[in-house]
């Protein structure tokens, strides 16, 4: 199984901060990685796919990058609407498909 | 507008069964893989199962042999038959779609709002 190790599990930040979340795959997944945002009590929402492609309607302050098996989600300037939990997901293989453990971005 | 509407959740006793449904609209259902993802209270996302656009099925080890995913393309509906349920299956169950092309299926484009399954005596 491909393990997705996401860090940190919790992140405290202020409006305007640059925020970085990391996800490391246990083996190569090429660029088959997505990032989702989930707000409390709501369904997840796709932010980024293929490691760095912004989903439709997602603000440009969100970006994704990769270096080998390490993937990064960056919020360039944190906005009030961005306080949420973020998950990475690999879809290189469906045997099984795996999510990271999540990163909760909270207000400092 | 894409809509995914789950139903069928509820309270069930340990050892019991339940069938979830996900009614889809706003996209060409037959060209998408469909998946179930669950989230236990206060926990992260856990992938459960997926059925590809051509009917291939995959399961998480935690549900293999107990859950069966299926789809009815004529009704644009996804199903999850769950049997031998235990407290560990208590979760909100989301359905999600993934576009497929060239034999591969990709990220989850859209998610439903979820249906709560509670396994308790």
């Amino acid at each position: 199984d491909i393990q997705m190790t996401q860090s940190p599990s919790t992140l405290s930040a202020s409006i305007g901060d640059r925020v970085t979340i990391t996800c490391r795959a246990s083996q190569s997944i090429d660029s088959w990685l997505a990032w989702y945002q989930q707000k409390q009590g709501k369904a997840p929402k796709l932010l980024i796919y293929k490691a760095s492609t912004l989903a439709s309607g997602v603000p440009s302050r969100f970006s994704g990058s990769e270096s080998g098996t390490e993937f990064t989600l960056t919020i360039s300037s944190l906005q009030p609407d961005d306080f949420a939990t973020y998950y990475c997901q690999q879809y290189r293989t469906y045997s099984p498909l795996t999510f990271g453990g999540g990163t909760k971005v909270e207000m400092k | 507008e894409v809509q995914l509407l789950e139903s069928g959740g509820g309270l069930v006793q340990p050892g019991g069964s339940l069938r979830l449904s996900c009614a889809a609209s706003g996209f060409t259902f037959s060209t998408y893989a469909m998946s179930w993802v669950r989230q236990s209270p206060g926990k992260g996302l856990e992938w459960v199962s997926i059925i590809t656009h051509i009917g291939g099925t995959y399961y998480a080890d935690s549900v293999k042999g107990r859950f069966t995913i299926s789809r009815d393309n004529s009704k644009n509906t996804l199903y999850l038959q769950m049997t031998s349920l235990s407290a560990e299956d208590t979760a909100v169950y989301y359905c999600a779609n993934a576009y497929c092309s060239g034999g591969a299926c990709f990220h989850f484009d859209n998610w439903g709002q979820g249906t709560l399954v509670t396994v308790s005596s």
Side-chain angles (χ1 to χ4, degrees):
Chain A
D1 296 5
I2 299 176
Q3 311 299 324
M4 304 302 294
T5 304
Q6 193 173 336
S7 62
S9 56
T10 306
L11 188 159
S12 298
S14 302
I15 300 300
D17 282 354
R18 182 180 181 88
V19 168
T20 299
I21 298 168
T22 299
C23 193
R24 181 172 286 107
S26 60
Q27 62 190 77
S28 173
I29 58 171
D30 298 317
S31 300
W32 300 117
L33 183 110
W35 290 97
Y36 301 92
Q37 177 194 65
Q38 186 181 34
K39 296 182 180 179
Q40 187 67 33
K42 301 295 186 182
K45 170 191 168 185
L46 177 67
L47 291 178
I48 287 170
Y49 61 94
K50 201 72 170 22
S52 60
T53 303
L54 213 59
S56 177
V58 174
S60 59
R61 62 181 179 272
F62 290 92
S63 63
S65 63
E66 63 178 298
S67 177
T69 59
E70 186 168 295
F71 299 84
T72 301
L73 172 69
T74 300
I75 309 173
S76 59
S77 177
L78 192 69
Q79 298 302 301
D81 192 46
D82 301 338
F83 292 102
T85 301
Y86 295 84
Y87 295 92
C88 62
Q89 175 218 6
Q90 67 80 18
Y91 50 101
R92 170 67 178 80
T93 175
Y94 287 160
S95 298
L97 190 153
T98 43
F99 289 92
T103 296
K104 183 177 182 180
V105 177
E106 61 181 26
M107 191 174 299
K108 184 184 287 183
Chain B
E1 179 193 5
V2 172
Q3 288 198 341
L4 298 170
L5 185 60
E6 302 94 338
S7 61
L11 176 64
V12 60
Q13 293 191 335
S17 300
L18 208 59
R19 189 176 85 154
L20 306 183
S21 300
C22 173
S25 62
F27 62 101
T28 305
F29 185 75
S30 60
T31 63
Y32 278 71
M34 297 298 298
S35 188
W36 292 98
V37 177
R38 69 184 180 183
Q39 187 169 36
S40 300
K43 302 296 185 183
L45 300 174
E46 179 189 14
W47 172 73
V48 173
S49 181
I50 192 167
I51 182 166
T52 70
H53 60 312
I54 55 174
T57 59
Y58 301 84
Y59 298 92
D61 285 346
S62 59
V63 307
K64 203 172 293 183
R66 300 188 299 121
F67 290 11
T68 302
I69 192 170
S70 62
R71 63 191 297 162
D72 186 336
N73 288 346
S74 68
K75 295 182 178 179
N76 287 356
T77 302
L78 171 73
Y79 303 100
L80 186 68
Q81 178 68 48
M82 306 186 294
T83 64
S84 302
L85 287 162
S86 70
E88 287 68 41
D89 298 312
T90 294
V92 173
Y93 285 73
Y94 297 101
C95 68
N97 68 352
Y99 180 67
C100 302
S101 177
C105 301
F106 306 107
H107 49 276
F108 294 151
D109 281 317
N110 301 281
W111 298 64
Q113 284 306 300
T115 187
L116 177 62
V117 172
T118 303
V119 184
S120 175
S121 56

